[in-house]
Amino acid sequence: MMKPQLFIKISLSLLVFLLMFLPFIPLILSSLSFGWQWPAIIPDSISFRAWDYVLFGSSGTWQAVGVSLLIALIVTIINILLAVPAANALVRNSFRGKWLMEAIIFAPIIIPPFVAVMGIHLTFLKLGLTETIVGVVLAHLSPTLPYMVRAIMISYQTLSVDWEDQARMLGAGPVSRFTLVVLPHLLPGIVAGASLSILISLSQYLITFIIGSGQVVTLSILLFPFISGGDPAIASAYSLLFAGMAIMTLFGLDVLLKKYYQQKKAVTNKG
């Protein structure tokens, strides 16, 4: 007989899975439909026309996927390089104007993207950065950096300075202290921030459209025209592809993090 705790755990897991999978059912049906009209509950006919266009047609889907992932990866790397010292300074130091610095860093979370991107666009026009991947990458830093900084700040708040002092007393230099003491503790925060950075970067349409001026084509650029009045079947197929790309990216980060800790545990056990 199944134990009550196990039954509750399985039931909750199934419920969570159903709640997560339920929104994808209409998208799957819509992507396989041919003229699905209201009030029909299910499509009258099944067609792979949308998937044929998205995956095998001349839509430029795979090139857009590559550009999207490239931009998200570069943005995330830059965010890490900027957020680690920024979080260290904000958590461990008290200085005049600290609240103002935090307000500036976290302002993009509150300020609508359209307000910021217009000023960025005017500046990038003068610098010749519009219609380039470099310009889009720099523009994506604005909405993604605050989440990376916040995630790493939380990790720094749980890192005692005494650990670094002990390493210093044992003869560890600044680089050794950071790589052997600080970085392993920050890693969960970095992965959490990287996940948010990648997801936000992948989903940016307005910033990419204005700064890229239609010359930098990401998956969101291909997706939105079909959502706003194009072909619903193709829009559904692109939405599923977009969701799959985001899920696989997050799954890859999770696998890498678990592999890192398994290797660290194995080294510790050997020692």
Side-chain angles (χ1 to χ4, degrees), residues 6 21 31 60 84 89 177 191 210 224 228-229 248 268:
L6 182 59
F21 184 72
S31 69
V84 170
R177 291 198 304 270
V191 172
I210 293 177
F224 271 80
S228 60
M248 290 301 296
T268 304

Side-chain angles (χ1 to χ4, degrees), residues 46-129:
I46 300 297
S47 173
F48 291 93
R49 174 188 58 87
W51 286 107
D52 182 67
Y53 172 82
V54 170
L55 299 179
F56 307 109
S58 57
S59 57
T61 299
W62 298 116
Q63 182 179 358
V65 169
V67 172
S68 300
L69 292 175
L70 176 63
I71 291 174
L73 179 62
I74 297 175
V75 167
T76 301
I77 292 173
I78 296 175
N79 277 335
I80 294 173
L81 296 177
L82 294 175
V84 170
N88 179 49
L90 291 173
V91 171
R92 294 185 167 181
N93 299 290
S94 297
F95 52 89
R96 183 177 299 178
K98 179 179 176 180
W99 66 270
L100 180 60
M101 293 298 298
E102 292 183 351
I104 293 173
I105 291 174
F106 297 120
I109 299 177
I110 304 173
I111 298 175
F114 184 77
V115 176
V117 75
M118 293 310 298
I120 294 173
H121 185 241
L122 292 175
T123 303
F124 282 10
L125 279 173
K126 298 177 182 179
L127 297 176
L129 292 175

Side-chain angles (χ1 to χ4, degrees), residues 6-75:
L6 182 59
F7 175 77
I8 294 174
K9 184 177 181 180
I10 294 176
S11 300
L12 290 177
S13 300
L14 289 174
L15 180 61
V16 171
F17 177 78
L18 288 175
L19 290 175
M20 292 178 60
F21 184 72
L22 193 61
F24 291 100
I25 296 177
L27 287 176
I28 295 173
L29 292 175
S30 178
S31 69
L32 297 175
S33 68
F34 185 79
W36 188 9
Q37 300 293 332
W38 188 89
I41 298 178
I42 59 175
D44 296 328
S45 59
I46 300 297
S47 173
F48 291 93
R49 174 188 58 87
W51 286 107
D52 182 67
Y53 172 82
V54 170
L55 299 179
F56 307 109
S58 57
S59 57
T61 299
W62 298 116
Q63 182 179 358
V65 169
V67 172
S68 300
L69 292 175
L70 176 63
I71 291 174
L73 179 62
I74 297 175
V75 167

